[in-house]
Amino acid sequence: MISGAVAMWKALPLAQRRMILLLMAAIGLANIAQPYPDLAPLQHGPTVALILTAPWLLRRWPLPASAIACIWLFLLLHTLGARWIYSYVPYDDWARAISGHDISSLFGMKRNGYDRLVHFAFGALLTLPIAEVAHRYGTLRWRWSLIFAFAAIGLGSALYEIFEWLLTIIAADDTADYYNGQQGDVWDAQKDMASAQIGATIAVIALLRRRG
């Protein structure tokens, strides 16, 4: 079994192996002096599971390097946000240290907006991988695969928001509030889904232009 896993790992292109290792390193760094240890398993667990199954998945259903890079970049953005459970990513502190100005004041933001960025990235970055899967393994024509990917982004966003709602019912009050990251916005779920669809729309337009 171990030899089979090693063989699958070695069969992956070098670039994909490097991306997996870099993502593993990013998760390790994100959990050094973890500020929210109780929520770390919820935030990082799915990514770790995906890393462990990635060699088999990529061996069974190979994808082009561009699609893998999109997934990798999205997971890096998620890993960064997961360290600070999204609501507390200190990007304003980083911006002040670099430029003397903060991003929230520049854009008139009253809440931490990192979660919106990642929801936007969910649509913008995962449209290509989903479309490639639909095109290669679902035998859809390229334009139809993009339509499928656009719809899948919407479905994925809605299912995730439903998951957060269920978590609110099951988890302790404080844990649910921290994990959901609503930050007092009653329209948070709708805005998150809209951000993802805007990202998917931009991706679909760009991919249509690229492939004519």
Side-chain angles (χ1 to χ4, degrees), residues 42-86:
L42 274 175
Q43 295 285 355
H44 297 287
T47 309
V48 172
L50 185 58
I51 287 174
L52 294 176
T53 57
W56 179 81
L57 291 172
L58 293 173
R59 180 70 170 167
R60 179 66 179 82
W61 295 289
L63 291 171
S66 57
I68 300 301
C70 285
I71 297 171
W72 176 72
L73 181 56
F74 170 75
L75 291 175
L76 283 179
L77 289 171
H78 164 69
T79 298
L80 176 62
R83 173 175 170 79
W84 286 280
I85 57 172
Y86 281 90

Side-chain angles (χ1 to χ4, degrees), residues 111 115-116 119 161 164 180-195:
R111 70 188 294 279
D115 63 327
R116 297 271 193 268
H119 280 283
E161 297 301 331
E164 285 194 330
N180 287 355
Q182 285 182 265
Q183 302 181 64
D185 187 352
V186 296
W187 301 108
D188 179 68
Q190 289 83 353
K191 291 176 181 177
D192 287 347
M193 289 188 289
S195 297

Side-chain angles (χ1 to χ4, degrees), residues 120 122-131 142-154 196-212:
F120 173 83
F122 176 74
L125 293 174
L126 297 192
T127 295
L128 174 60
I130 295 171
W142 180 241
R143 288 178 180 268
W144 280 109
S145 72
L146 289 175
I147 294 173
F148 174 83
F150 181 84
I153 291 295
Q197 290 302 149
I198 291 170
T201 300
I202 294 172
V204 167
I205 293 171
L207 290 167
L208 284 172
R209 288 173 62 88
R210 191 180 76 177
R211 295 202 179 185

Side-chain angles (χ1 to χ4, degrees), residues 3-4 10 14 71 93 144:
S3 60
K10 290 183 177 180
L14 179 59
I71 297 171
D93 294 338
W144 280 109

Side-chain angles (χ1 to χ4, degrees), residues 164-176:
E164 285 194 330
W165 167 62
L166 292 174
L167 181 70
T168 304
I169 297 173
I170 297 170
D173 291 342
D174 289 343
T175 302

